[in-house]
Amino acid sequence: MQQYEPDSLPPAQLAAMRRSMRNGRAALTRRSLLRASTGGALAVGGLGVLSGCGIPPASKTQGVSSQDHSAKENEINFSNWTEYMDVDESEKHHPTLDAFTKRTGIKVKYTEDINDNVEFFGKIKPQLAAGQDTGRDLICVTDWLAARLIRFGWVQKLDPSNLPHAYANLSSQFRSPDWDPGRAYSYPWTGISTVIAFNKKALDGEKVSSVSDMLDNPKLKGRVGFLSEMRDSIGMTMLDMGKDPGKFTDDDFDATVARLQKAVDKGQIRRFTGNDYTSDLTKGDLAACLAWAGDVVQLKADNPDVDFVIPDSGYLTSTDNLLVPNKARHKTNAERLIDYYYEPGPAAQLAAYINYVCPVDGVRAELAKIDEDAANNPLIIPDKAMAAKSNAFRSLTPKEETAYEEKFAKLTGA
């Protein structure tokens, strides 16, 4: 278990936080609030703040529950992101949660109080660091924050006997991230894929099927967009260069930055954006860009000129993950809810509403009953070929985080 130690606040990490809060995955999209994925932001907004609050380091005795009251208290307190749960036409009820309660008798207090990973961590860090109950039995956070919580010993190990559907139906591409091998502490709520999006009219007959096409085709000069999130832009470029974002070295990172710097210097890249690329792509100001799949599903529905491609070299997928915090009163009930969403029926209802990558195998037939287009959309239900191209950006040490964010900030001019 990693001992908690407050991180310093290098200028590059401050810049990373500002990027995420201003226009990265923390910014509001049409369908949901996309996830801030910059690990440096956690150091700024969460860990750095801890050092100024007199909060003691996490002790190595943490990582255990208080008494589980699930047998006597039929309830769960679940914190999630805005617009990340199915709702009925009245927008007052969540059909899948209501069905869970009807089946089990367990009432779910569902709270949409996660707007950003950094902000949410600030809410729960005092109790976590002090070994106290956060008042939440289940939380949903992005993979980099999930990794930190696990390392600090601030979440509980899950009981496999309460998760038969989750264990059986979890898609193979999400089964063993380097930060939680075998999913001992977490299960994904959704996947968030980074792909290449393009505007067919703006391309005017040019072909874009790879990052190299974006970086090297002179006819696209000044009409190419990359993302202001370091992991996405660096990771996708690494794949194009034949490097593995799950195993790269410092030299690999530097070579990738140099590749992008060359494109910046010759004016090939118009700018590094957050999800504000959606407007530029729709208008045709960007002919091609790196994009998040959740946006692309909506953009395609609204504009027939917008489409996407999965490069032969592969693409990146991150995850938002369900975890049970230390001292949660209703751990078993929380595990039952996790397992419920790994049944094909509830998983399909959720996927039909939120339009992100579904991590549940065997859901396609159920989803087709609700929305055939969604069932056939590889951005929601990846086929085997697409799933095989999925890659994850490896976990970073605090030292790497600082160094890499500084280099990326210089590249983007942040």
Side-chain angles (χ1 to χ4, degrees):
M1 181 186 301
Q2 178 178 321
Q3 183 79 359
Y4 164 72
E5 294 180 0
D7 292 340
S8 58
L9 305 178
Q13 291 190 350
L14 286 169
M17 179 183 178
R18 286 193 293 270
R19 286 199 309 273
S20 271
M21 294 300 292
R22 182 176 64 248
N23 62 0
R25 285 187 185 168
L28 181 66
T29 67
R30 179 181 165 196
R31 189 68 171 183
S32 72
L33 290 166
L34 291 171
R35 301 334 138 212
S37 66
T38 304
L42 177 61
V44 176
L47 304 186
V49 174
L50 275 175
S51 63
C53 296
I55 298 173
S59 74
K60 293 187 177 181
T61 60
Q62 288 182 291
V64 297
S65 67
S66 59
Q67 182 180 354
D68 189 352
H69 299 270
S70 294
K72 295 182 178 180
E73 298 177 4
N74 290 331
E75 59 185 89
I76 305 170
N77 293 300
F78 181 9
S79 285
N80 204 350
W81 294 79
T82 304
E83 300 291 340
Y84 226 19
M85 180 67 74
D86 57 303
V87 298
D88 64 6
E89 293 184 0
S90 73
E91 297 188 356
K92 295 180 180 179
H93 300 283
H94 302 291
T96 56
L97 289 179
D98 291 346
F100 174 80
T101 298
K102 184 176 180 180
R103 180 200 296 184
T104 65
I106 299 170
K107 296 181 179 180
V108 183
K109 181 182 179 183
Y110 183 73
T111 308
E112 295 181 332
D113 61 345
I114 306 180
N115 294 312
D116 164 80
N117 284 293
V118 175
E119 177 187 333
F120 181 67
F121 186 77
K123 293 179 182 179
I124 63 176
K125 69 182 184 292
Q127 294 96 332
L128 291 172
Q132 299 172 352
D133 181 10
T134 65
R136 297 167 175 86
D137 302 301
L138 194 62
I139 61 175
C140 182
V141 297
T142 305
D143 44 20
W144 63 264
L145 179 52
R148 296 287 180 94
L149 294 174
I150 291 169
R151 289 195 193 106
F152 295 152
W154 287 354
V155 293
Q156 298 183 51
K157 195 169 186 178
L158 301 174
D159 184 349
S161 67
N162 293 326
L163 297 159
H165 295 98
Y167 182 80
N169 295 336
L170 176 61
S171 174
S172 59
Q173 75 178 99
F174 300 116
R175 279 195 174 271
S176 195
D178 66 352
W179 47 270
D180 187 15
R183 291 288 181 180
Y185 293 88
S186 69
Y187 270 89
W189 181 247
T190 58
I192 305 170
S193 296
T194 305
V195 299
I196 294 175
F198 56 86
N199 185 307
K200 287 179 280 189
K201 184 179 292 185
L203 283 178
D204 193 26
E206 294 300 310
K207 181 180 179 181
V208 173
S209 61
S210 68
V211 170
S212 288
D213 290 338
M214 297 170 65
L215 294 177
D216 297 333
N217 187 341
K219 293 184 179 180
L220 301 182
K221 183 177 179 179
R223 297 190 296 134
V224 168
F226 276 68
L227 291 166
S228 57
E229 299 292 349
M230 181 266 288
R231 286 165 173 78
D232 294 297
S233 287
I234 293 293
M236 289 291 284
T237 307
M238 279 184 177
L239 288 168
D240 185 74
M241 297 170 66
K243 303 179 186 298
D244 185 350
K247 299 179 180 178
F248 66 89
T249 65
D250 286 348
D251 288 343
D252 292 333
F253 187 91
D254 290 344
T256 306
V257 170
R259 174 90 166 98
L260 289 168
Q261 186 66 60
K262 182 179 178 181
V264 169
D265 292 343
K266 68 181 182 180
Q268 186 76 7
I269 297 176
R270 182 184 183 92
R271 63 192 183 105
F272 291 82
T273 72
N275 68 298
D276 51 331
Y277 67 79
T278 56
S279 175
D280 288 344
L281 184 64
T282 299
K283 292 186 295 184
D285 292 340
L286 286 175
C289 63
L290 296 185
W292 292 306
D295 284 339
V296 176
V297 172
Q298 294 299 314
L299 293 175
K300 278 175 59 64
D302 294 338
N303 187 336
D305 290 325
V306 174
D307 211 337
F308 75 98
V309 65
I310 303 298
D312 288 340
S313 59
Y315 66 102
L316 285 182
T317 302
S318 57
T319 51
D320 283 338
N321 308 274
L322 300 171
L323 303 100
V324 178
N326 281 353
K327 303 296 182 179
R329 288 181 61 87
H330 312 107
K331 177 175 181 285
T332 298
N333 289 346
E335 290 167 339
R336 291 181 68 182
L337 185 62
I338 294 172
D339 196 61
Y340 168 75
Y341 279 105
Y342 274 81
E343 296 178 23
Q349 287 182 261
L350 181 66
Y353 183 80
I354 66 175
N355 291 164
Y356 285 96
V357 178
C358 180
V360 182
D361 275 343
V363 76
R364 185 186 301 274
E366 291 295 325
L367 183 55
K369 297 175 185 177
I370 303 170
D371 186 338
E372 190 170 350
D373 288 340
N376 293 323
N377 190 332
L379 296 181
I380 299 174
I381 307 292
D383 56 27
K384 290 184 178 180
M386 183 169 173
K389 293 182 179 181
S390 175
N391 295 265
F393 200 95
R394 71 169 173 84
S395 299
L396 302 179
T397 66
K399 183 178 179 180
E400 288 175 327
E401 190 80 57
T402 299
Y404 294 165
E405 283 292 355
E406 182 177 350
K407 293 174 181 178
F408 190 71
K410 289 180 180 178
L411 170 71
T412 62

